[in-house]
Amino acid sequence: MIKFIFVCIILCLTAIANMAFAENTEPQELLIILRDNGTITQEQYDKLKQTTEHKAQEEQSSRVDVKVISKGGVEVQTYDGNFSFKLGGRVFVDAAYYDEDKNALGDGTELRKARIDTKGIIFGDWDYQFEIDFADGDADISDAYIRYNAFFPTRITVGQFKEPFSLEELTSSKFITFMERALPNEFAPDRNIGIGIHTHGEVWTAAAGVFGEEFDDDADDEGDEGWGVTGRLTYSPVHLDTRALHLGAAASYRIPDDEKKVKFDARPESHVTDIKYVDTDKIKNMDSLIKYGLEASGVLGPFSLQGEYIYTNIGRDNGSEDVDFDGWYVYGSWFLTGESRHYKFKKGAFGRVTPMSKLGALELATRYSTIDLNDGPITGGEGKNITFGFNYYFNPYIRLMLNYIIVDNDEDADADGDVMGNDDPRIVQARLQVDF
Amino acid sequence: MTISARRRSGSVLAVLLFGILLCGGTCVLAKTNLWAQDKSEALLEKHTLVIGKITQNPKKLFRYLKPMVNYAAEHMKDLGITDTEVLMAKDNQRMVSYLKQGKVDWVTETPFSAIILQEKAGAEILLKKWKKGVPDYHTIFFARKDSGINSLSDLKGKTIALEDPGSTSAYSVPASILINEGLELVRLASPREKPLADKVGYVFAEQEITISTYVHKGFVSAGAFNNQDWNKDDHLPKAFRKNMIIFHKSRPFPRAIELVRKGLDPGIKQRLKEILLNAHNDPKAKKALRAYQKTEKFEELSEKDRDSLDEVRGILKSVRSELE
């Protein structure tokens, strides 16, 4: 199946190359042959050549130009702004060493992300994105949506995309400061199929949507899918290149599918291991899921701070007790080489860092995060991670990341009984990532 | 269906969709050339108002231009304008061709391109645009405080970093100022090369941050870009700026110019002028102005502005004859 994709890519690139570089040389070659064979005279040849060139020039000037750009991937844009097509992707290669405490975590390597991504504009007002991740051996759709932009800055999106919740979640994995998102990110709703609206003013953004479930997430053939509504507001009185302040709040309400179950679990902030210390197992009799998130971030030159708090309430019926979980994190980052984290105000998230020097950029960061999955009858465990990060940006598209993580789990953080609780390993992990 | 079977079928679906999209996307773009030929005829129709700009990033500029042309067209319905288009060009030559063919009605450009479009395509300068909130800008020449450079003549035998040949404030203006100062410019392939003692070497750094980095690290003796770049930390970090001096400034030039094509219906031209001059007083224009490169307002060109544009003509002449 993957071969099929590569054949498509080759076909696609060949077509783009032909579009970009093809020239109308055939008629001239034919004229040369006719002249050399003595079929036409030199005089006739000159006249025909002039006519052919004039026609070619006329044809050329009546076309809208096409621009081909490559920064690793390939992008084609028409000069009337009505069409574009981009083929890109990302590859993250990870390795982790676990200084184990009580449980074996499994040192090793992992292809954390291996995504191919297409996006484009169709007739100016429409754009789309379609992205597939091959990292775990299957082909999983991540983003797959169509967006209508005619009422810009208001945009309407239909398809599978991230629900508007959490600064860290909405910041692409290409641009997050640490190798993995913080522990409470487990509560963020992630991508689902739905319809959303997003708009912004000069200092605020608003986004909301109604969502079903993921494209392959039909829990029961006969049962109804779960659905939810999610909204997010952000406020940013300052969003300059080197100074920014971001405040945000989000809420999500979800009705479960017919199974009425929900499960929260999280690895330590390392993905090579499969051990998810904190794990609630399936919580039954859920009749609603409510989440609230608060977020704040500030950038001041090379320094930045970011933090979030997420609260989750599971409403239950059939006499089962409601349960509440929460988690939060805070981190600071410092670019030793003077760059600033790139705050994208309209999106309410962070974007690509461009090193000031051709020698690259260096960033130091540290984070504290915690998630608490213990409440009432549920003893999913509590985990705390302290992470020290070092990032080296070779250029805007290639980054080396090193993380050292101190893990502190409580006695209930036992992967739902599969491992021993109170396990406090240390983790060293590295990533080389490229996106194009 | 088992979970793994569902995942497999999901994967197959994903891959098929992806493949179709890849091939489909390519075909759409391949077709665009053919479609564009038909469209170019449509653009000549009177009912379509077409805005244009010279750019290397048509996707991005489309979002800047489309709201403004839509806003203007909203007020021209009684003149028969019912549709709008954007048509951008990769260089001056292409835009000249579009203007001559009547494919573009209205262009927003830098003063230098505006003069070229005026001279070569007969385009008419309409108004001055307060792009990014400012009416004018000027070029500054800067060097390290410890470089000993205090005037343009001190650059003899030294190298200055400029942006690229397409830049107004970081190439055409500084180059012409140096030429008018009687200095002979010679292009160097890299900052490591040294010019002869009686010449001024220049290198293209391509980005403003590279210009300032070259100067900061002593790879070159001086740099030049516009006064807005000087105050932008992304282009000149504070840590660099505190060790720099400005040793020369150009006269100010209009930040941007609005032009219309030769032969545009006088009624449309007059209405466009009125719409733009009044836009900053119209709350409905706020979003379009912001999208339109954060334009604060438009105004008539003053005598001083026209003198500046005359100087631009002179600069273009000297840069062309000396360097091209």
Side-chain angles (χ1 to χ4, degrees):
Chain A
M1 198 53 69
I2 289 172
K3 279 182 188 169
F4 176 73
I5 285 282
F6 287 131
V7 169
C8 289
I9 291 168
I10 298 294
L11 283 173
C12 162
L13 292 174
T14 309
I16 289 167
N18 283 337
M19 279 162 52
F21 306 114
E23 286 180 10
N24 189 12
T25 55
E26 282 174 20
Q28 289 185 18
E29 285 167 7
L30 182 64
L31 286 178
I32 292 168
I33 293 166
L34 290 172
R35 182 195 61 189
D36 293 348
N37 287 344
T39 314
I40 57 172
T41 64
Q42 181 65 38
E43 194 182 343
Q44 287 169 324
Y45 168 82
D46 290 339
K47 199 173 174 184
L48 284 167
K49 188 182 166 205
Q50 201 178 0
T51 309
T52 312
E53 283 174 353
H54 184 65
K55 267 190 168 180
Q57 273 178 2
E58 271 189 350
E59 195 175 295
Q60 179 65 27
S61 70
S62 69
R63 285 181 180 166
V64 173
D65 291 329
V66 172
K67 184 178 178 68
V68 180
I69 309 163
S70 180
K71 289 177 180 173
V74 63
E75 180 169 13
V76 186
Q77 304 174 10
T78 58
Y79 265 90
D80 60 3
N82 276 312
F83 295 92
S84 76
F85 172 67
K86 184 180 180 188
L87 177 65
R90 73 186 76 171
V91 177
F92 296 179
V93 186
D94 287 10
Y97 165 75
Y98 299 101
D99 181 10
E100 291 157 354
D101 180 18
K102 293 176 182 162
N103 301 297
L105 291 168
D107 303 341
T109 57
E110 182 187 35
L111 211 49
R112 180 70 176 91
K113 307 265 184 204
R115 289 188 186 173
I116 296 285
D117 177 29
T118 64
K119 57 175 84 169
I121 294 170
I122 294 176
F123 287 103
D125 291 332
W126 297 85
D127 74 321
Y128 68 88
Q129 183 170 5
F130 189 74
E131 188 177 49
I132 294 190
D133 196 343
F134 299 96
D136 59 3
D138 292 313
D140 287 327
I141 293 176
S142 45
D143 280 317
Y145 62 77
I146 301 155
R147 187 164 52 188
Y148 188 58
N149 303 301
F151 310 119
F152 189 82
T154 302
R155 296 168 143 187
I156 299 162
T157 310
V158 177
Q160 177 166 290
F161 56 99
K162 284 180 181 173
E163 293 191 22
F165 194 101
S166 168
L167 172 61
E168 186 79 334
E169 178 62 31
L170 293 170
T171 296
S172 166
S173 61
K174 294 181 287 190
F175 310 133
I176 55 177
T177 302
F178 297 90
M179 286 173 62
E180 299 296 334
R181 295 185 174 94
L183 291 171
N185 188 251
E186 170 61 12
F187 297 130
D190 203 2
R191 291 180 176 87
N192 283 308
I193 297 173
I195 179 166
I197 187 164
H198 182 283
T199 190
H200 68 264
E202 287 186 15
V203 293
W204 57 270
T205 73
V210 182
F211 298 87
E213 295 179 349
E214 258 190 299
F215 87 104
D216 63 347
D217 210 15
D218 191 1
D220 189 279
D221 287 342
E222 287 81 29
D224 291 337
E225 224 177 73
W227 64 275
V229 290
T230 299
R232 178 177 185 244
L233 290 169
T234 72
Y235 173 68
S236 174
V238 183
H239 43 267
L240 304 171
D241 291 334
T242 55
R243 273 187 299 143
L245 177 64
H246 164 99
L247 300 170
S252 178
Y253 175 79
R254 177 161 281 272
I255 297 292
D257 61 23
D258 287 357
E259 288 196 340
K260 303 180 80 168
K261 292 174 187 168
V262 67
K263 179 180 177 179
F264 292 106
D265 56 17
R267 293 175 173 84
E269 289 156 358
S270 172
H271 199 272
V272 173
T273 181
D274 283 329
I275 304 295
K276 296 178 175 179
Y277 284 114
V278 288
D279 185 345
T280 61
D281 199 13
K282 286 182 178 170
I283 300 171
K284 295 174 185 170
N285 298 323
M286 177 177 98
D287 69 356
S288 68
L289 183 63
I290 298 172
K291 298 172 182 179
Y292 299 111
L294 291 173
E295 43 191 86
S297 183
V299 176
L300 185 62
F303 302 101
S304 76
L305 279 175
Q306 181 175 319
E308 285 188 76
Y309 171 79
I310 303 178
Y311 164 84
T312 298
N313 168 268
I314 302 165
R316 298 202 291 169
D317 55 16
N318 293 331
S320 300
E321 190 182 324
D322 288 5
V323 287
D324 303 306
F325 303 130
D326 65 357
W328 60 274
Y329 74 87
V330 62
Y331 75 75
S333 142
W334 173 34
F335 276 94
L336 303 173
T337 40
E339 291 78 4
S340 298
R341 287 183 75 207
H342 176 203
Y343 177 64
K344 297 169 81 174
F345 155 70
K346 290 176 194 167
K347 200 179 170 192
F350 283 90
R352 187 182 304 284
V353 170
T354 301
M356 286 177 176
S357 159
K358 286 183 177 171
L359 296 173
L362 292 172
E363 182 184 23
L364 293 178
T366 185
R367 175 172 71 190
Y368 177 83
S369 72
T370 176
I371 186 169
D372 184 358
L373 298 181
N374 294 325
D375 189 46
I378 308 297
T379 52
E382 182 177 4
K384 296 168 187 166
N385 284 187
I386 298 171
T387 306
F388 299 96
F390 168 83
N391 298 325
Y392 175 58
Y393 300 74
F394 291 90
N395 53 51
Y397 301 92
I398 299 180
R399 177 166 73 159
L400 176 70
M401 308 177 80
L402 294 172
N403 284 180
Y404 177 74
I405 307 166
I406 300 167
V407 180
D408 178 13
N409 290 312
D410 74 357
E411 61 186 17
D412 293 318
D414 58 2
D416 193 30
D418 289 343
V419 299
M420 283 186 276
N422 263 330
D423 190 25
D424 301 328
R426 305 288 182 262
I427 302 169
V428 181
Q429 57 182 2
R431 167 177 299 165
L432 186 62
Q433 76 171 60
V434 61
D435 73 278
F436 50 88
Chain B
M1 200 184 280
T2 64
I3 289 173
S4 62
R6 270 206 309 275
R7 279 187 73 81
R8 263 200 308 279
S9 65
S11 298
V12 170
L13 179 69
V15 168
L16 283 173
L17 276 171
F18 188 78
I20 290 164
L21 202 63
L22 268 180
C23 294
T26 308
C27 290
V28 164
L29 279 163
K31 281 273 180 193
T32 299
N33 269 352
L34 298 174
W35 173 81
Q37 287 182 50
D38 300 335
K39 193 176 147 237
S40 65
E41 300 302 322
L43 294 182
L44 294 173
E45 303 263 343
K46 277 183 183 173
H47 62 260
T48 304
L49 181 67
V50 187
I51 192 170
K53 179 159 180 47
I54 299 158
T55 178
Q56 294 302 311
N57 195 342
K59 190 169 82 175
K60 183 172 157 190
L61 266 292
F62 179 81
R63 297 224 178 282
Y64 294 0
L65 304 182
K66 187 72 171 166
M68 182 49 84
V69 71
N70 285 348
Y71 169 75
E74 275 291 308
H75 297 77
M76 291 186 181
K77 283 179 182 164
D78 60 316
L79 299 176
I81 299 295
T82 56
D83 203 0
T84 61
E85 290 286 350
V86 176
L87 184 57
M88 290 162 279
K90 60 186 173 189
D91 53 31
N92 289 321
Q93 197 183 346
R94 197 77 173 133
M95 187 55 84
V96 166
S97 162
Y98 286 153
L99 286 166
K100 280 183 173 173
Q101 293 175 66
K103 289 182 178 176
V104 171
D105 300 312
W106 163 23
V107 179
T108 183
E109 264 310 328
T110 62
F112 281 75
S113 287
I115 293 299
I116 290 168
L117 299 179
Q118 188 190 40
E119 287 180 352
K120 295 193 172 176
E124 187 182 331
I125 290 175
L126 197 67
L127 293 169
K128 173 172 153 177
K129 167 175 147 184
W130 283 45
K131 181 180 164 182
K132 295 184 183 173
V134 296
D136 306 295
Y137 69 157
H138 59 266
T139 293
I140 52 126
F141 289 75
F142 62 97
R144 283 178 65 110
K145 281 178 183 167
D146 58 5
S147 66
I149 292 173
N150 296 305
S151 69
L152 295 173
S153 56
D154 291 337
L155 288 174
K156 215 177 254 188
K158 299 195 164 58
T159 302
I160 183 168
L162 304 174
E163 192 177 356
D164 63 52
S167 170
T168 298
S169 59
Y171 171 62
S172 300
V173 173
S176 73
I177 287 173
L178 291 168
I179 291 164
N180 291 338
E181 188 73 11
L183 297 165
E184 193 180 337
L185 294 183
V186 53
R187 185 175 168 182
L188 306 177
S190 94
R192 288 187 204 91
E193 291 181 25
K194 299 285 172 218
L196 293 173
D198 59 339
K199 293 186 169 62
V200 177
Y202 69 97
V203 289
F204 287 128
E206 294 180 3
Q207 294 181 64
E208 292 87 351
I209 181 64
T210 316
I211 294 176
S212 55
T213 305
Y214 279 178
V215 179
H216 175 73
K217 292 190 179 296
F219 296 159
V220 297
S221 301
F225 47 43
N226 73 52
N227 56 313
Q228 288 177 305
D229 293 326
W230 172 263
N231 291 313
K232 211 170 174 190
D233 287 351
D234 290 4
H235 295 170
L236 182 67
K238 270 182 196 157
F240 292 8
R241 195 182 304 129
K242 68 182 181 191
N243 295 320
M244 305 279 188
I245 51 155
I246 295 173
F247 63 89
H248 190 82
K249 288 180 185 177
S250 77
R251 67 174 290 167
F253 295 98
R255 189 68 184 85
I257 297 291
E258 304 297 292
L259 304 102
V260 291
R261 72 174 162 83
K262 184 182 176 183
L264 181 68
D265 182 302
I268 293 176
K269 184 172 75 180
Q270 184 55 33
R271 181 70 60 82
L272 179 62
K273 195 171 179 178
E274 289 163 10
I275 293 165
L276 297 182
L277 283 172
N278 190 50
H280 65 284
N281 296 318
D282 182 1
K284 288 179 185 165
K286 199 176 172 187
K287 281 179 187 167
L289 284 171
R290 187 171 167 75
Y292 201 54
Q293 298 174 297
K294 295 178 185 166
T295 297
E296 190 171 315
K297 64 176 183 174
F298 300 90
E299 63 183 17
E300 299 268 12
L301 272 82
S302 64
E303 275 307 307
K304 205 173 149 191
D305 293 328
R306 294 195 184 276
D307 289 347
S308 295
L309 293 181
D310 284 341
E311 188 168 323
V312 167
R313 275 188 198 89
I315 287 171
L316 278 170
K317 209 172 166 186
S318 64
V319 172
R320 276 181 197 148
S321 62
E322 292 289 329
L323 300 177
E324 293 167 10

